[in-house]
Amino acid sequence: MRRKRSIFDLLREYLEEFEEATEELFESFSEKPSWDPESHSLEPLFDVSVSSDNVVVTADMPYADPKSIKIRGVRDNLIEISADMKVKVNFERLGVPHREGEFSCFHCQVPLPVPVDISRAKARLTKGILEIILPREKGYPIKVE
Amino acid sequence: MSTPVEIVEKKPVPEGLTILCGLPDVGLVGAIAVSHITSQLKLNEVAYVRSDLLPPVVVLEKGISRSPIRIVGNSSLMALVSEIAIPTTALHPVIQSIVNWMETKKPKTVISLGGLATPNRQQLIEPKVFGVASNETSIKTLNAQGIEIMERGFLVGPQALILSYCAEKNVPAVALLAEAFYNYPDPEAAAAVIKSLNQIIDLQIDVSELLKKGEEVRLRMRDIMKRTQTELARMQKSREYDVPGFYL
């Protein structure tokens, strides 16, 4: 006889389905090229980490010209990074000679997981890796009795 | 029905050689290092991995399809290379089969090259290299060559399985791990592991060219790094940051 499913079974199944759907969605987002021949741009690898005071965004941008880096807030929770490259790179140089296109800049949009004060952000480029430190919006302190 | 994982030899593979492993992992350190060694020593494909557990991918070279996971070598050295991040679900059977195959070749030593994710990597001028091993004899060898041992901690992923299956089979194995970026290709860390490798086996691999073309390497490795990031998350690579709490 089939066992009656408890609320916990249903909840676990629901969570498993949700997890699978999230993973599929995540994979579908990543199924696009990291280059755009129309804008001649490459999408840099980027990373976001959150500490108690800051959100730190880094982006790997080899050949980036430090003077050309632009960072702007698109929305409260989204920043845009762009930079020109010191060299132009075509597909042949990347090892795929059958494709046509030349790239001369980096461009990406980075979602931010928690609210930040973009006006107080600081950025630096070290060895081709851009680091942006965005102070978090302060919440309300809770008094410990 | 085909065997889940097979190592197909294209040429006779000599016994008793050192076998290097450079599989995609943090900073692609091992993959970059072994790719550089393969170019410098002009190693050729001698065998490849065939498996239903891998994604349906081939790599094209001069228009000819090849398996993305291959063993390259010459008469004195073999190297395991992969141009794809091995899916986490396939890691155990794939590495186990590769180690079973290695055992039949009676290797002198298996040396896995890789990275150790280090949060302040950007501030390090020269990444340090640590050694770990599958048995005490191999630890003594690393000590004798002046390699600093990573005494305690967790290893996750291909390196961990290579050491563990080699230990089971009594195949001498070590891993050389350079402090590296977690998410970004790290040719400087790859150069650091090659320098340590030069200390423990007589290879004399020059890393100046690798360091010179570092930016080019980082640009070319972006896509494989991105795919590897997904697998690193799936295998819970961040456990390597954990502090082991068993021996209080």
Side-chain angles (χ1 to χ4, degrees):
Chain A
M1 202 179 94
R2 203 173 163 192
R3 190 173 67 93
K4 199 177 166 188
R5 287 186 301 172
S6 72
I7 182 74
F8 298 108
D9 290 333
L10 291 169
L11 191 63
R12 196 187 60 242
E13 281 167 24
Y14 171 74
L15 286 172
E16 278 171 7
E17 274 173 30
F18 179 74
E19 205 171 295
E20 275 171 28
T22 311
E23 194 156 311
E24 274 171 27
L25 188 67
F26 176 74
E27 282 177 0
S28 69
F29 276 133
S30 62
E31 294 301 317
K32 62 179 176 62
S34 62
W35 38 266
D36 178 5
E38 277 182 27
S39 61
H40 305 288
S41 67
L42 296 173
E43 186 181 62
L45 293 167
F46 62 82
D47 186 48
V48 181
S49 63
V50 180
S51 70
S52 54
D53 294 327
N54 300 306
V55 172
V56 180
V57 175
T58 61
D60 189 24
M61 305 205 291
Y63 293 124
D65 176 1
K67 290 179 199 140
S68 70
I69 297 173
K70 290 189 182 78
I71 305 157
R72 70 178 190 99
V74 180
R75 290 197 299 271
D76 286 350
N77 60 353
L78 189 71
I79 60 166
E80 187 174 64
I81 301 170
S82 62
D84 293 336
M85 291 163 71
K86 289 178 278 188
V87 293
K88 284 183 180 172
V89 179
N90 59 21
F91 273 114
E92 188 157 8
R93 190 160 165 183
L94 295 174
V96 270
H98 69 282
R99 288 194 193 277
E100 285 182 13
E102 192 174 57
F103 305 100
S104 55
C105 60
F106 285 108
H107 177 259
C108 66
Q109 290 195 330
V110 183
L112 304 174
V114 293
V116 296
D117 180 357
I118 291 182
S119 66
R120 292 194 295 128
K122 286 181 181 168
R124 64 181 173 182
L125 185 77
T126 315
K127 292 191 204 171
I129 294 179
L130 178 69
E131 184 182 54
I132 310 164
I133 299 171
L134 303 125
R136 290 178 66 170
E137 292 277 11
K138 291 290 174 207
Y140 297 98
I142 298 170
K143 196 178 172 188
V144 179
E145 289 175 6
Chain B
M1 204 177 106
S2 62
T3 318
V5 187
E6 268 181 279
I7 287 61
V8 182
E9 293 183 26
K10 292 173 78 178
K11 291 178 187 171
V13 178
E15 291 183 0
L17 304 185
T18 295
I19 303 178
L20 304 179
C21 303
L23 299 175
D25 204 324
V26 291
L28 299 178
V29 177
I32 296 171
V34 173
S35 167
H36 180 68
I37 293 166
T38 302
S39 304
Q40 292 267 305
L41 300 180
K42 298 183 172 57
L43 304 179
N44 292 311
E45 183 176 339
V46 293
Y48 63 90
V49 175
R50 178 166 67 199
S51 175
D52 298 350
L53 305 173
L54 296 173
V57 177
V58 294
V59 180
L60 298 173
E61 264 178 40
K62 294 179 183 165
I64 298 165
S65 66
R66 293 183 191 284
S67 163
I69 308 178
R70 303 189 292 276
I71 290 128
V72 296
N74 60 19
S75 56
S76 55
L77 184 77
M78 292 288 139
L80 169 67
V81 294
S82 176
E83 297 193 44
I84 57 164
I86 301 175
T88 305
T89 46
L91 258 185
H92 269 282
V94 168
I95 300 292
Q96 189 173 25
S97 300
I98 290 171
V99 171
N100 287 347
W101 175 84
M102 285 174 178
E103 187 197 14
T104 66
K105 302 299 166 192
K106 302 178 178 63
K108 201 186 288 173
T109 322
V110 172
I111 305 176
S112 182
L113 306 179
L116 190 65
T118 306
N120 67 339
R121 168 68 185 92
Q122 213 168 341
Q123 276 77 53
L124 304 176
I125 295 163
E126 176 109 12
K128 271 204 286 188
V129 176
F130 296 92
V132 291
S134 63
N135 61 28
E136 283 181 25
T137 315
S138 301
I139 283 285
K140 282 179 190 157
T141 309
L142 290 174
N143 269 325
Q145 302 299 333
I147 307 288
E148 192 173 338
I149 305 299
M150 179 176 146
E151 297 272 352
R152 297 196 57 209
F154 293 105
L155 278 188
V156 177
Q159 317 268 5
L161 296 185
I162 288 169
L163 285 177
S164 143
Y165 287 123
C166 281
E168 259 181 34
K169 296 277 176 187
N170 213 17
V171 172
V174 300
L176 296 175
L177 309 168
E179 293 175 311
F181 288 113
Y182 184 104
N183 272 336
Y184 303 141
D186 198 336
E188 284 182 7
V193 284
I194 293 174
K195 283 186 201 167
S196 294
L197 180 69
N198 284 338
Q199 276 174 250
I200 63 173
I201 57 172
D202 187 25
L203 269 185
Q204 310 295 329
I205 300 286
D206 180 22
V207 295
S208 57
E209 189 64 26
L210 174 61
L211 291 169
K212 207 168 115 188
K213 61 181 184 188
E215 286 188 295
E216 186 96 21
V217 172
R218 281 160 53 197
L219 208 56
R220 289 180 68 152
M221 291 285 196
R222 278 175 324 123
D223 288 338
I224 180 171
M225 186 76 250
K226 200 171 173 185
R227 300 272 176 196
T228 304
Q229 286 173 4
T230 311
E231 293 307 328
L232 291 174
R234 284 193 179 129
M235 69 178 78
Q236 301 184 343
K237 186 72 179 177
S238 59
R239 277 175 191 266
E240 287 189 359
Y241 292 136
D242 293 359
V243 175
F246 188 69
Y247 298 102
L248 294 176

